[in-house]
Amino acid sequence: AQSVTQLGSHVSVSEGALVLLRCNYSSSVPPYLFWYVQYPNQGLQLLLKYTSAATLVKGINGFEAEFKKSETSFHLTKPSAHMSDAAEYFCAVRSNSGYALNFGKGTSLLVTP
Amino acid sequence: NAGVTQTPKFQVLKTGQSMTLQCAQDMNHEYMSWYRQDPGMGLRLIHYSVGAGITDQGEVPNGYNVSRSTTEDFPLRLLSAAPSQTSVYFCASSRTSGAVLATQYFGPGTRLTVL
């Protein structure tokens, strides 16, 4: 079964610092991978997705992620954190039983002044 | 387009009560699904549908029923609510083909408390 593991349930960075949120996947077939963001009391919003077209994927709000097959990773990065980036971030992989997504447990990003 | 809409936003039930969470989408998406979100657990799939008249179980289906009589609507029914069903419920939809394959669009959620 397809699954993802997010390393670190809480990450804290200073404003202006690099953001790195880690996600490793397990998949028996080439995966479709996603990063979603959830702001407080809101639904999930797609940040970016990997569908095998390019290994470096650029998303909204300055985020990007790189698919590394050798490391089974799909880490999310942003060069300079803003206060508005504080949110919960979810990595997900499309399940092989259909169109459902298997989510990681989430990483809460705190940005400090 | 309104996207994916969910009602109600908040609901408090007593143990044993029943209710239906509503979900609608206006994007003509074939695929719709329900997730529940619990602290430290991420989102877990309850039920899904790949088209009108077709539904199937996800990871945590017990205690929930669904039906899909139209493309637009996918209600989730709790027949006899239990405290373990206290959660935030999200509905999502997506196309099942084309360039946007598997990009799921989420509703704003329903926060349910069962006393």
Side-chain angles (χ1 to χ4, degrees):
Chain A
Q2 327 286 63
S3 65
V4 291
T5 301
Q6 292 184 242
L7 303 176
S9 57
H10 294 83
V11 170
S12 181
V13 300
S14 299
E15 192 174 18
L18 171 72
V19 175
L20 171 60
L21 304 182
R22 300 177 187 272
C23 174
N24 287 92
Y25 70 89
S26 173
S27 176
S28 56
V29 298
Y32 287 126
L33 292 161
F34 304 81
W35 276 100
Y36 281 85
V37 60
Q38 184 182 30
Y39 298 102
N41 299 313
Q42 294 187 26
L44 277 71
Q45 179 182 5
L46 180 69
L47 273 177
L48 50 80
K49 64 180 178 180
Y50 169 75
T51 58
S52 77
T55 56
L56 182 61
V57 182
K58 293 189 184 298
I60 62 172
N61 301 339
F63 284 93
E64 62 181 36
E66 186 172 8
F67 174 75
K68 292 187 176 179
K69 185 178 179 180
S70 60
E71 299 177 7
T72 62
S73 69
F74 190 57
H75 300 333
L76 182 71
T77 60
K78 181 174 180 178
S80 176
H82 294 170
M83 297 296 290
S84 60
D85 294 326
E88 188 90 14
Y89 291 81
F90 293 95
C91 181
V93 61
R94 195 183 82 166
S95 71
N96 56 9
S97 63
Y99 300 91
L101 296 177
N102 294 331
F103 284 86
K105 294 186 177 181
T107 297
S108 179
L109 176 65
L110 175 67
V111 182
T112 58
Chain B
N1 286 351
V4 180
T5 58
Q6 292 182 237
T7 56
K9 285 188 172 21
F10 302 94
Q11 183 69 50
V12 179
L13 292 177
K14 294 181 180 179
T15 297
Q17 287 185 317
S18 63
M19 80 160 296
T20 299
L21 308 185
Q22 301 291 345
C23 173
Q25 53 90 12
D26 61 359
M27 297 174 282
N28 201 31
H29 285 170
E30 302 93 339
Y31 178 84
M32 296 185 73
S33 57
W34 277 100
Y35 294 87
R36 60 177 288 173
Q37 182 182 25
D38 302 292
M41 300 290 289
L43 278 78
R44 292 180 292 169
L45 182 67
I46 304 172
H47 285 285
Y48 66 93
S49 168
V50 296
I54 306 170
T55 64
D56 207 345
Q57 297 180 351
E59 180 186 354
V60 288
N62 292 342
Y64 308 95
N65 281 351
V66 293
S67 61
R68 184 100 178 266
S69 57
T70 66
T71 300
E72 294 78 20
D73 301 298
F74 191 44
L76 178 72
R77 297 184 186 83
L78 285 71
L79 297 180
S80 179
S84 60
Q85 294 178 303
T86 293
S87 188
V88 182
Y89 292 84
F90 289 100
C91 179
S93 72
S94 70
R95 293 179 58 185
T96 55
S97 65
V100 293
L101 177 67
T103 297
Q104 295 203 14
Y105 297 86
F106 284 80
T110 294
R111 191 174 296 272
L112 176 68
T113 300
V114 182
L115 303 176

